[in-house]
Amino acid sequence: MSTQTVVSRGALSQKRGTALGLGAAVLYLSLIVLIPLAAVVLRSQERGLAYFWEAVTTPDAWAALSLTIGASAVVAVINLFMGTVIAWVLVRDRFPGKAVVDTLIDLPFALPTIVAGLVLLALYGPKSPLGVDVAYSRAGVVLALLFVTLPFVVRTVQPVLLELDRDMEQAAASLGASTAQIFRRVILPNLVPAMLSGTALAFSRSMAEIGSVVLISGNLPFKTQVASVQIFGQIETDNPVGAAAVSTVLLVVALVTLVLLDLLQRWGSRRG
């Protein structure tokens, strides 16, 4: 058998393996993500665009959407800065208990969110041992969302900091650059893509949260009721089309956020 024949068969086998893997990935994503999302969008259009618009602009739905998107934006901005600071401390500083703190960062991923809501209500509710009561207020909603989204920016920025070449910083320092200049011109440009990715994930996650918010918010219509709770209420009152309409709005906002992030990262890559 000639060498060319062996190479051709090897290439054909590799292509078949690639096609099989790609087909399995697409099928899995379709069953788990694409088809369910498409079903929600189609359900929201079941009674036409007029009903869709009416469902998302009712006073309670509009108030819930405004609160959810606004609180998620606030949480994303806070996470952008504080998540980066925490990642910096974990990578660049040494202190007792560092390994414990690093492990606790992932606690919101592992802890059931309803348990998180119960803990937050006990610590920052009417009987707070700390003397801080933010229960049944928008501040409580933001606090709960901050808890569940804490790891996103930290865990996206941390690996970039670990892999960052310290020689570039030392070279800049040897040329007379100040600490602020080194951070702004050497470190920050490398961190920005990871910071933005984590922020977008935190924003999207915040819009979908229900477990940690449902207790501490009190679910007061027009005041502290978030969109996820409003959607649940629509289902309970036998209005799945209205629930699907509000869900579609959240889906569109999340997709637009991720697309804008991707475009911004591509633009940054071309400039960098």
Side-chain angles (χ1 to χ4, degrees):
M1 183 180 297
S2 65
T3 303
Q4 184 176 2
T5 302
V6 173
V7 172
S8 299
R9 290 184 176 180
L12 181 60
S13 177
Q14 184 178 6
K15 288 182 179 179
R16 288 177 178 174
T18 301
L20 182 61
L22 179 61
V26 171
L27 177 62
Y28 184 80
L29 285 175
S30 298
L31 292 174
I32 301 300
V33 179
L34 299 179
I35 294 177
L37 291 180
V40 170
V41 174
L42 291 175
R43 189 63 182 274
S44 70
Q45 303 297 317
E46 200 171 85
R47 300 183 187 177
L49 289 175
Y51 183 84
F52 175 90
W53 180 251
E54 180 183 351
V56 299
T57 56
T58 58
D60 58 335
W62 189 255
L65 285 169
S66 300
L67 172 61
T68 301
I69 296 173
S72 298
V74 171
V75 167
V77 172
I78 295 174
N79 274 317
L80 173 64
F81 291 100
M82 294 309 302
T84 303
V85 170
I86 293 173
W88 180 276
V89 170
L90 290 175
V91 173
R92 295 297 179 94
D93 295 340
R94 295 182 180 180
F95 55 91
K98 178 179 177 179
V100 176
V101 174
D102 193 30
T103 302
L104 290 177
I105 295 297
D106 293 325
L107 185 61
F109 283 152
L111 189 68
T113 53
I114 190 66
V115 176
L118 183 61
V119 171
L120 291 174
L121 184 61
L123 286 177
Y124 304 107
K127 299 180 180 180
S128 170
L130 305 176
V132 179
D133 183 7
V134 295
Y136 319 131
S137 67
R138 295 187 176 186
V141 173
V142 172
L143 179 64
L145 295 180
L146 283 172
F147 177 86
V148 298
T149 59
L150 170 66
F152 287 103
V153 176
V154 177
R155 291 314 189 205
T156 53
V157 172
Q158 195 173 5
V160 179
L161 278 172
L162 287 170
E163 297 177 3
L164 197 61
D165 188 0
R166 301 291 293 271
D167 292 339
M168 293 189 299
E169 301 174 43
Q170 295 174 359
S174 66
L175 294 174
S178 64
T179 302
Q181 289 175 326
I182 294 173
F183 180 80
R184 187 175 68 253
R185 297 184 179 182
V186 178
I187 300 175
L188 189 58
N190 291 283
L191 296 184
V192 166
M195 293 167 61
L196 293 178
S197 296
T199 301
L201 291 173
F203 176 78
S204 301
R205 179 67 179 83
S206 294
M207 291 195 300
E209 179 57 26
I210 182 172
S212 64
V213 177
V214 70
L215 294 178
I216 198 170
S217 70
N219 306 320
L220 305 176
F222 309 106
K223 185 180 179 182
T224 62
Q225 187 181 65
V226 295
S228 55
V229 177
Q230 203 272 343
I231 291 169
F232 183 72
Q234 295 267 34
I235 296 295
E236 285 190 318
T237 57
D238 196 25
N239 185 19
V241 179
V246 177
S247 301
T248 300
V249 173
L250 295 179
L251 173 62
V252 170
V253 173
L255 287 176
V256 169
T257 301
L258 295 177
V259 169
L260 289 177
L261 172 64
D262 182 66
L263 292 175
L264 184 61
Q265 288 180 334
R266 291 175 184 269
W267 175 79
S269 298
R270 288 197 298 269
R271 289 180 62 87

